[in-house]
Amino acid sequence: MSAIRTTRTALATALVAGLTATALATPALAAPAPEKRDHTATRQALQAAVDSGVPGAVAGARDGHGRWTGTAGDRKGDDRYRVGSITKTFVATVLLQLQAEGRVDLDDPVEKWLPGVVRGNGHDGRNITVRQLLNHTSGIYSYTEDAAFQERVFGPGFLEHRYDTWSGRQLVGVAMTHQPEFAPGTGWSYSNTNFVLAGMVIEKVTGRPYGKAVENRIIKPLKLRATSVPGNRVTVPQPSSRAYSTLSRDPNAPVHDVTELNPSLALAAGEMISDSSDLQTFYRALVQGRLLPKTEMRELTATVPISPDYPLFRYGLGISWQKLSCGTEIWGHGGGIHGSTSEAYATRDGRHSLAANFNADWTGDTQSVIEAEFCGTTPKGPDAKGLDAKAPGVKALTGPVPRN
């Protein structure tokens, strides 16, 4: 989910081919032994976040030498937390599975599955495909950009409305009161409405809540015991730590405990709960092709640029690609929701993975944790948050956005 002003730019094409793998014609040589890592830089990045004001940080990593877990501040290594927009990758995976079974086609117009839902102020579901929902090229306005919604959900109004229940149609209805960002397929703009609609499409195709599809198709097969789709449950299962937010653009505003909330405000765009171990299991299985056939894997990783200003960051179907300072390429997603900022990424071969979480949404540099783990880069200086926040709550309901 995103309260951040995302970069928008026209695209010359709607889709660009993603990564492809080619086998060597000659007998394969033994792979070189993976470099030994002591995760010192990652530990330093977690501590730097706490030094910048984050109450607690946790990260888990896996590579060829095994598993590692690190914490700083008041956190436990097996903490569960709200993962925000990381939910989007689960949702996209389910839709790609349904396509592989012939039950839906990503090039279907949204109108086919949700007649009359995407209409108003220039929005027209007849001209928008399911694929364009998943790669954010639909042009649909993001309901989290709506000023009244922001005040009620991200600002001080949250304390009064934290237990409100939202339906998908209500959230989409907020978006429909605004004009589209651009004509479908002609630009890129991160929109949480896209994935609320994607969840609704899953429900129409399967006849059941989208969360049941996520549970039956991903959570149970992978034995993700810390992962859940909470629905209207307002608490985070134990073990977990408290979550904190200033509910304001002002980093010096009072800090509030925002652990309890009704996650229907995010639905399929960002409501899920998990932990660092489960998130790594999921992304490793996904990038290694254990959840999708080859055709759908190619579609998942067919990326579009988000902006000429960020050539090393691209977006696929509910998953992002970025090239780090050391040249390492990773796939995954970032996510944020009240009092929780998360990252989960893996290399394309799935051999090296990371999942991390800060229990705060107004400070802390999660990108430095990513660079530290995959590149061994020592954090430089205090918090270096990314793009300026557009809504109160700063990182609340965020997705993967390039950092400065």
mmCIF file of all heavy atoms in Angstrom, residues 188-220:
data_model
loop_
_atom_site.group_PDB
_atom_site.id
_atom_site.type_symbol
_atom_site.label_atom_id
_atom_site.label_comp_id
_atom_site.label_asym_id
_atom_site.label_seq_id
_atom_site.Cartn_x
_atom_site.Cartn_y
_atom_site.Cartn_z
ATOM 1 N N TRP A 188 2.999 4.436 -15.637
ATOM 2 C CA TRP A 188 3.157 3.593 -14.445
ATOM 3 C C TRP A 188 2.886 4.427 -13.213
ATOM 4 O O TRP A 188 3.421 5.538 -13.078
ATOM 5 C CB TRP A 188 4.567 3.013 -14.359
ATOM 6 C CG TRP A 188 4.714 1.977 -13.266
ATOM 7 C CD1 TRP A 188 4.518 0.640 -13.385
ATOM 8 C CD2 TRP A 188 5.086 2.205 -11.902
ATOM 9 N NE1 TRP A 188 4.734 0.001 -12.166
ATOM 10 C CE2 TRP A 188 5.096 0.951 -11.240
ATOM 11 C CE3 TRP A 188 5.405 3.356 -11.156
ATOM 12 C CZ2 TRP A 188 5.406 0.802 -9.886
ATOM 13 C CZ3 TRP A 188 5.725 3.203 -9.807
ATOM 14 C CH2 TRP A 188 5.729 1.946 -9.190
ATOM 15 N N SER A 189 2.045 3.927 -12.328
ATOM 16 C CA SER A 189 1.757 4.615 -11.082
ATOM 17 C C SER A 189 1.298 3.595 -10.054
ATOM 18 O O SER A 189 0.355 2.834 -10.297
ATOM 19 C CB SER A 189 0.665 5.677 -11.277
ATOM 20 O OG SER A 189 0.409 6.353 -10.063
ATOM 21 N N TYR A 190 1.974 3.572 -8.929
ATOM 22 C CA TYR A 190 1.674 2.604 -7.873
ATOM 23 C C TYR A 190 0.300 2.890 -7.279
ATOM 24 O O TYR A 190 0.073 3.958 -6.722
ATOM 25 C CB TYR A 190 2.752 2.679 -6.791
ATOM 26 C CG TYR A 190 2.728 1.542 -5.821
ATOM 27 C CD1 TYR A 190 3.405 0.361 -6.090
ATOM 28 C CD2 TYR A 190 2.035 1.647 -4.619
ATOM 29 C CE1 TYR A 190 3.390 -0.694 -5.192
ATOM 30 C CE2 TYR A 190 2.015 0.598 -3.722
ATOM 31 C CZ TYR A 190 2.699 -0.567 -4.009
ATOM 32 O OH TYR A 190 2.682 -1.614 -3.108
ATOM 33 N N SER A 191 -0.610 1.941 -7.411
ATOM 34 C CA SER A 191 -1.983 2.152 -6.958
ATOM 35 C C SER A 191 -2.463 0.965 -6.130
ATOM 36 O O SER A 191 -2.534 -0.166 -6.618
ATOM 37 C CB SER A 191 -2.923 2.348 -8.152
ATOM 38 O OG SER A 191 -4.275 2.368 -7.722
ATOM 39 N N ASN A 192 -2.820 1.217 -4.901
ATOM 40 C CA ASN A 192 -3.348 0.160 -4.048
ATOM 41 C C ASN A 192 -4.716 -0.321 -4.500
ATOM 42 O O ASN A 192 -5.096 -1.462 -4.248
ATOM 43 C CB ASN A 192 -3.385 0.647 -2.609
ATOM 44 C CG ASN A 192 -1.992 0.853 -2.077
ATOM 45 O OD1 ASN A 192 -1.187 -0.058 -2.061
ATOM 46 N ND2 ASN A 192 -1.676 2.073 -1.693
ATOM 47 N N THR A 193 -5.437 0.531 -5.207
ATOM 48 C CA THR A 193 -6.737 0.117 -5.745
ATOM 49 C C THR A 193 -6.574 -1.064 -6.695
ATOM 50 O O THR A 193 -7.429 -1.958 -6.750
ATOM 51 C CB THR A 193 -7.399 1.293 -6.488
ATOM 52 O OG1 THR A 193 -7.322 2.474 -5.688
ATOM 53 C CG2 THR A 193 -8.856 0.981 -6.799
ATOM 54 N N ASN A 194 -5.453 -1.095 -7.430
ATOM 55 C CA ASN A 194 -5.204 -2.191 -8.361
ATOM 56 C C ASN A 194 -5.300 -3.548 -7.668
ATOM 57 O O ASN A 194 -5.894 -4.496 -8.194
ATOM 58 C CB ASN A 194 -3.807 -2.054 -8.979
ATOM 59 C CG ASN A 194 -3.724 -0.976 -10.040
ATOM 60 O OD1 ASN A 194 -4.703 -0.649 -10.685
ATOM 61 N ND2 ASN A 194 -2.534 -0.410 -10.202
ATOM 62 N N PHE A 195 -4.712 -3.655 -6.493
ATOM 63 C CA PHE A 195 -4.656 -4.965 -5.849
ATOM 64 C C PHE A 195 -5.889 -5.269 -5.013
ATOM 65 O O PHE A 195 -6.205 -6.433 -4.779
ATOM 66 C CB PHE A 195 -3.354 -5.119 -5.065
ATOM 67 C CG PHE A 195 -2.238 -5.603 -5.955
ATOM 68 C CD1 PHE A 195 -1.574 -4.723 -6.793
ATOM 69 C CD2 PHE A 195 -1.894 -6.943 -5.999
ATOM 70 C CE1 PHE A 195 -0.577 -5.165 -7.647
ATOM 71 C CE2 PHE A 195 -0.903 -7.406 -6.839
ATOM 72 C CZ PHE A 195 -0.240 -6.511 -7.678
ATOM 73 N N VAL A 196 -6.598 -4.249 -4.567
ATOM 74 C CA VAL A 196 -7.920 -4.515 -4.003
ATOM 75 C C VAL A 196 -8.785 -5.161 -5.078
ATOM 76 O O VAL A 196 -9.479 -6.159 -4.842
ATOM 77 C CB VAL A 196 -8.568 -3.220 -3.475
ATOM 78 C CG1 VAL A 196 -10.027 -3.460 -3.094
ATOM 79 C CG2 VAL A 196 -7.801 -2.689 -2.263
ATOM 80 N N LEU A 197 -8.718 -4.604 -6.297
ATOM 81 C CA LEU A 197 -9.461 -5.176 -7.424
ATOM 82 C C LEU A 197 -8.957 -6.576 -7.774
ATOM 83 O O LEU A 197 -9.750 -7.473 -8.078
ATOM 84 C CB LEU A 197 -9.341 -4.258 -8.641
ATOM 85 C CG LEU A 197 -10.120 -2.942 -8.551
ATOM 86 C CD1 LEU A 197 -9.618 -1.950 -9.590
ATOM 87 C CD2 LEU A 197 -11.622 -3.183 -8.715
ATOM 88 N N ALA A 198 -7.644 -6.784 -7.722
ATOM 89 C CA ALA A 198 -7.093 -8.109 -8.019
ATOM 90 C C ALA A 198 -7.642 -9.147 -7.048
ATOM 91 O O ALA A 198 -7.984 -10.272 -7.440
ATOM 92 C CB ALA A 198 -5.565 -8.073 -7.958
ATOM 93 N N GLY A 199 -7.741 -8.782 -5.774
ATOM 94 C CA GLY A 199 -8.329 -9.685 -4.796
ATOM 95 C C GLY A 199 -9.790 -9.975 -5.094
ATOM 96 O O GLY A 199 -10.258 -11.118 -4.940
ATOM 97 N N MET A 200 -10.496 -8.963 -5.543
ATOM 98 C CA MET A 200 -11.910 -9.141 -5.897
ATOM 99 C C MET A 200 -12.062 -10.057 -7.117
ATOM 100 O O MET A 200 -13.010 -10.845 -7.205
ATOM 101 C CB MET A 200 -12.553 -7.779 -6.154
ATOM 102 C CG MET A 200 -12.652 -6.917 -4.897
ATOM 103 S SD MET A 200 -13.115 -5.181 -5.240
ATOM 104 C CE MET A 200 -14.824 -5.394 -5.782
ATOM 105 N N VAL A 201 -11.115 -9.969 -8.065
ATOM 106 C CA VAL A 201 -11.149 -10.863 -9.226
ATOM 107 C C VAL A 201 -10.952 -12.315 -8.777
ATOM 108 O O VAL A 201 -11.668 -13.228 -9.224
ATOM 109 C CB VAL A 201 -10.073 -10.466 -10.260
ATOM 110 C CG1 VAL A 201 -9.962 -11.529 -11.356
ATOM 111 C CG2 VAL A 201 -10.404 -9.108 -10.880
ATOM 112 N N ILE A 202 -9.999 -12.542 -7.879
ATOM 113 C CA ILE A 202 -9.790 -13.896 -7.355
ATOM 114 C C ILE A 202 -11.068 -14.431 -6.727
ATOM 115 O O ILE A 202 -11.453 -15.591 -6.934
ATOM 116 C CB ILE A 202 -8.644 -13.900 -6.320
ATOM 117 C CG1 ILE A 202 -7.303 -13.634 -7.007
ATOM 118 C CG2 ILE A 202 -8.589 -15.243 -5.570
ATOM 119 C CD1 ILE A 202 -6.142 -13.447 -6.048
ATOM 120 N N GLU A 203 -11.748 -13.586 -5.981
ATOM 121 C CA GLU A 203 -12.979 -14.013 -5.319
ATOM 122 C C GLU A 203 -14.065 -14.356 -6.329
ATOM 123 O O GLU A 203 -14.825 -15.313 -6.149
ATOM 124 C CB GLU A 203 -13.432 -12.928 -4.345
ATOM 125 C CG GLU A 203 -12.475 -12.772 -3.166
ATOM 126 C CD GLU A 203 -12.817 -11.623 -2.241
ATOM 127 O OE1 GLU A 203 -13.763 -10.859 -2.569
ATOM 128 O OE2 GLU A 203 -12.146 -11.489 -1.205
ATOM 129 N N LYS A 204 -14.125 -13.596 -7.426
ATOM 130 C CA LYS A 204 -15.123 -13.875 -8.453
ATOM 131 C C LYS A 204 -14.807 -15.179 -9.184
ATOM 132 O O LYS A 204 -15.705 -15.973 -9.490
ATOM 133 C CB LYS A 204 -15.188 -12.715 -9.448
ATOM 134 C CG LYS A 204 -16.403 -12.727 -10.348
ATOM 135 C CD LYS A 204 -17.690 -12.541 -9.542
ATOM 136 C CE LYS A 204 -18.919 -12.442 -10.411
ATOM 137 N NZ LYS A 204 -18.999 -11.160 -11.139
ATOM 138 N N VAL A 205 -13.518 -15.420 -9.436
ATOM 139 C CA VAL A 205 -13.107 -16.628 -10.149
ATOM 140 C C VAL A 205 -13.304 -17.874 -9.292
ATOM 141 O O VAL A 205 -13.771 -18.914 -9.774
ATOM 142 C CB VAL A 205 -11.639 -16.524 -10.599
ATOM 143 C CG1 VAL A 205 -11.152 -17.844 -11.197
ATOM 144 C CG2 VAL A 205 -11.462 -15.399 -11.611
ATOM 145 N N THR A 206 -12.947 -17.786 -8.008
ATOM 146 C CA THR A 206 -12.965 -18.969 -7.141
ATOM 147 C C THR A 206 -14.253 -19.131 -6.357
ATOM 148 O O THR A 206 -14.534 -20.225 -5.869
ATOM 149 C CB THR A 206 -11.803 -18.916 -6.136
ATOM 150 O OG1 THR A 206 -11.988 -17.791 -5.242
ATOM 151 C CG2 THR A 206 -10.468 -18.782 -6.857
ATOM 152 N N GLY A 207 -15.018 -18.034 -6.205
ATOM 153 C CA GLY A 207 -16.235 -18.104 -5.416
ATOM 154 C C GLY A 207 -15.990 -18.096 -3.923
ATOM 155 O O GLY A 207 -16.907 -18.365 -3.132
ATOM 156 N N ARG A 208 -14.768 -17.764 -3.507
ATOM 157 C CA ARG A 208 -14.419 -17.741 -2.092
ATOM 158 C C ARG A 208 -13.575 -16.499 -1.811
ATOM 159 O O ARG A 208 -13.025 -15.888 -2.736
ATOM 160 C CB ARG A 208 -13.625 -19.000 -1.699
ATOM 161 C CG ARG A 208 -14.337 -20.302 -2.018
ATOM 162 C CD ARG A 208 -13.546 -21.480 -1.480
ATOM 163 N NE ARG A 208 -13.564 -21.532 -0.026
ATOM 164 C CZ ARG A 208 -12.797 -22.352 0.703
ATOM 165 N NH1 ARG A 208 -11.919 -23.153 0.103
ATOM 166 N NH2 ARG A 208 -12.890 -22.359 2.022
ATOM 167 N N PRO A 209 -13.401 -16.097 -0.533
ATOM 168 C CA PRO A 209 -12.533 -14.962 -0.218
ATOM 169 C C PRO A 209 -11.129 -15.179 -0.772
ATOM 170 O O PRO A 209 -10.612 -16.303 -0.770
ATOM 171 C CB PRO A 209 -12.530 -14.939 1.318
ATOM 172 C CG PRO A 209 -13.819 -15.587 1.707
ATOM 173 C CD PRO A 209 -14.060 -16.653 0.684
ATOM 174 N N TYR A 210 -10.508 -14.123 -1.229
ATOM 175 C CA TYR A 210 -9.177 -14.254 -1.828
ATOM 176 C C TYR A 210 -8.195 -14.870 -0.835
ATOM 177 O O TYR A 210 -7.270 -15.611 -1.214
ATOM 178 C CB TYR A 210 -8.673 -12.892 -2.326
ATOM 179 C CG TYR A 210 -7.851 -12.137 -1.309
ATOM 180 C CD1 TYR A 210 -6.468 -12.286 -1.249
ATOM 181 C CD2 TYR A 210 -8.468 -11.304 -0.369
ATOM 182 C CE1 TYR A 210 -5.721 -11.619 -0.307
ATOM 183 C CE2 TYR A 210 -7.730 -10.640 0.580
ATOM 184 C CZ TYR A 210 -6.346 -10.794 0.619
ATOM 185 O OH TYR A 210 -5.610 -10.150 1.570
ATOM 186 N N GLY A 211 -8.380 -14.577 0.458
ATOM 187 C CA GLY A 211 -7.481 -15.102 1.479
ATOM 188 C C GLY A 211 -7.479 -16.617 1.540
ATOM 189 O O GLY A 211 -6.455 -17.235 1.858
ATOM 190 N N LYS A 212 -8.606 -17.237 1.229
ATOM 191 C CA LYS A 212 -8.667 -18.696 1.221
ATOM 192 C C LYS A 212 -7.804 -19.264 0.104
ATOM 193 O O LYS A 212 -7.154 -20.306 0.266
ATOM 194 C CB LYS A 212 -10.110 -19.166 1.065
ATOM 195 C CG LYS A 212 -10.975 -18.937 2.301
ATOM 196 C CD LYS A 212 -10.451 -19.738 3.481
ATOM 197 C CE LYS A 212 -11.309 -19.518 4.711
ATOM 198 N NZ LYS A 212 -10.747 -20.242 5.899
ATOM 199 N N ALA A 213 -7.793 -18.583 -1.030
ATOM 200 C CA ALA A 213 -6.942 -19.017 -2.138
ATOM 201 C C ALA A 213 -5.470 -18.890 -1.756
ATOM 202 O O ALA A 213 -4.660 -19.774 -2.057
ATOM 203 C CB ALA A 213 -7.255 -18.209 -3.389
ATOM 204 N N VAL A 214 -5.111 -17.798 -1.090
ATOM 205 C CA VAL A 214 -3.732 -17.627 -0.637
ATOM 206 C C VAL A 214 -3.356 -18.726 0.353
ATOM 207 O O VAL A 214 -2.276 -19.321 0.277
ATOM 208 C CB VAL A 214 -3.542 -16.232 -0.004
ATOM 209 C CG1 VAL A 214 -2.161 -16.125 0.656
ATOM 210 C CG2 VAL A 214 -3.711 -15.130 -1.047
ATOM 211 N N GLU A 215 -4.248 -19.016 1.267
ATOM 212 C CA GLU A 215 -3.976 -20.054 2.263
ATOM 213 C C GLU A 215 -3.809 -21.430 1.607
ATOM 214 O O GLU A 215 -2.841 -22.157 1.882
ATOM 215 C CB GLU A 215 -5.113 -20.105 3.282
ATOM 216 C CG GLU A 215 -5.180 -18.891 4.201
ATOM 217 C CD GLU A 215 -6.440 -18.887 5.050
ATOM 218 O OE1 GLU A 215 -7.190 -19.884 5.007
ATOM 219 O OE2 GLU A 215 -6.663 -17.887 5.758
ATOM 220 N N ASN A 216 -4.756 -21.790 0.753
ATOM 221 C CA ASN A 216 -4.758 -23.136 0.181
ATOM 222 C C ASN A 216 -3.670 -23.349 -0.868
ATOM 223 O O ASN A 216 -3.187 -24.474 -1.048
ATOM 224 C CB ASN A 216 -6.128 -23.443 -0.425
ATOM 225 C CG ASN A 216 -7.213 -23.538 0.633
ATOM 226 O OD1 ASN A 216 -6.944 -23.855 1.787
ATOM 227 N ND2 ASN A 216 -8.443 -23.243 0.241
ATOM 228 N N ARG A 217 -3.304 -22.273 -1.569
ATOM 229 C CA ARG A 217 -2.366 -22.416 -2.681
ATOM 230 C C ARG A 217 -0.921 -22.093 -2.306
ATOM 231 O O ARG A 217 0.006 -22.539 -2.975
ATOM 232 C CB ARG A 217 -2.798 -21.520 -3.842
ATOM 233 C CG ARG A 217 -4.087 -21.960 -4.504
ATOM 234 C CD ARG A 217 -4.601 -20.913 -5.471
ATOM 235 N NE ARG A 217 -5.732 -21.429 -6.240
ATOM 236 C CZ ARG A 217 -5.624 -22.072 -7.389
ATOM 237 N NH1 ARG A 217 -4.414 -22.261 -7.923
ATOM 238 N NH2 ARG A 217 -6.697 -22.513 -8.021
ATOM 239 N N ILE A 218 -0.716 -21.316 -1.255
ATOM 240 C CA ILE A 218 0.642 -20.897 -0.905
ATOM 241 C C ILE A 218 0.993 -21.207 0.548
ATOM 242 O O ILE A 218 1.975 -21.888 0.831
ATOM 243 C CB ILE A 218 0.840 -19.387 -1.187
ATOM 244 C CG1 ILE A 218 0.569 -19.068 -2.660
ATOM 245 C CG2 ILE A 218 2.251 -18.958 -0.794
ATOM 246 C CD1 ILE A 218 0.604 -17.594 -2.998
ATOM 247 N N ILE A 219 0.184 -20.709 1.472
ATOM 248 C CA ILE A 219 0.526 -20.839 2.894
ATOM 249 C C ILE A 219 0.616 -22.301 3.328
ATOM 250 O O ILE A 219 1.613 -22.720 3.937
ATOM 251 C CB ILE A 219 -0.485 -20.064 3.759
ATOM 252 C CG1 ILE A 219 -0.363 -18.556 3.483
ATOM 253 C CG2 ILE A 219 -0.257 -20.353 5.247
ATOM 254 C CD1 ILE A 219 -1.385 -17.703 4.206
ATOM 255 N N LYS A 220 -0.402 -23.084 3.017
ATOM 256 C CA LYS A 220 -0.389 -24.491 3.442
ATOM 257 C C LYS A 220 0.642 -25.336 2.708
ATOM 258 O O LYS A 220 1.400 -26.082 3.352
ATOM 259 C CB LYS A 220 -1.795 -25.082 3.294
ATOM 260 C CG LYS A 220 -2.799 -24.516 4.293
ATOM 261 C CD LYS A 220 -4.183 -25.132 4.105
ATOM 262 C CE LYS A 220 -5.176 -24.547 5.106
ATOM 263 N NZ LYS A 220 -6.543 -25.113 4.907
#
